[in-house]
Amino acid sequence: MPALNFQRRFAEDVEYGIKRQSVRARRKDGRPHCKVGDELKLYTGMRTKTCRLLGRATVIRLAPVRIEGTCMYLDGRPLLSAIYDRDQIEQTDNEFAQADGFKGFMDMAAWFDDTHGLPFEGVVIYWDQPR
């Protein structure tokens, strides 16, 4: 059963089902983190004395993602910028970032730049309501 660990800043949102997606770097060994239908264990503080299970959930979707300094791509398609496309029905980069626990796209891009460097390529894991 795959397990995902979350920083303390994201833990409460994961536990209460507010955050139901996570952007992950590709594994060095090339294997996928999980597949659709897998049950996930969602943790915070893994490998520490304060490790805590936040919940269990089922993977419902996986999608490749690329994050650049001023734009991002989901499933190979650019996400619209909320700055320029406020009246669009499709998900914007800010909405994606907020669903992932950030204030907005620029906050998310800065975090990925500091943590992984940009451009960042990885996968978004989506899951159902945690139990």
Side-chain angles (χ1 to χ4, degrees), residues 41-56:
K41 286 186 175 181
L42 309 168
Y43 287 98
T44 189
M46 282 177 76
R47 299 183 186 98
T48 71
K49 291 180 182 179
T50 60
C51 182
R52 185 167 64 89
L53 179 66
L54 302 171
R56 296 171 190 252

Side-chain angles (χ1 to χ4, degrees), residues 63-84:
V65 65
R66 179 179 171 91
I67 301 170
E68 299 178 359
T70 58
C71 62
M72 69 177 291
Y73 299 84
L74 185 62
D75 270 334
R77 297 179 46 216
L79 282 185
L80 301 170
S81 171
I83 295 170
Y84 301 109

Side-chain angles (χ1 to χ4, degrees), residues 3-101:
L4 298 179
N5 187 51
F6 294 90
Q7 292 179 352
R8 191 177 316 134
R9 73 182 265 189
F10 301 117
E12 188 174 305
D13 284 352
V14 171
E15 186 171 22
Y16 293 110
I18 297 165
K19 176 178 167 61
R20 294 192 299 176
Q21 69 182 46
S22 184
V23 176
R24 299 290 163 144
R26 297 195 189 282
R27 292 172 50 127
K28 288 182 174 72
D29 63 10
R31 295 182 315 154
H33 291 279
C34 55
K35 62 185 184 305
V36 173
D38 279 351
E39 183 178 357
L40 293 175
K41 286 186 175 181
L42 309 168
Y43 287 98
T44 189
M46 282 177 76
R47 299 183 186 98
T48 71
K49 291 180 182 179
T50 60
C51 182
R52 185 167 64 89
L53 179 66
L54 302 171
R56 296 171 190 252
T58 303
V59 177
I60 58 173
R61 181 177 175 219
L62 300 166
V65 65
R66 179 179 171 91
I67 301 170
E68 299 178 359
T70 58
C71 62
M72 69 177 291
Y73 299 84
L74 185 62
D75 270 334
R77 297 179 46 216
L79 282 185
L80 301 170
S81 171
I83 295 170
Y84 301 109
D85 297 306
R86 292 186 179 138
D87 297 329
Q88 297 297 322
I89 295 172
E90 296 177 40
Q91 183 182 41
T92 66
D93 55 4
N94 272 337
E95 290 168 336
F96 179 92
Q98 290 165 354
D100 208 49

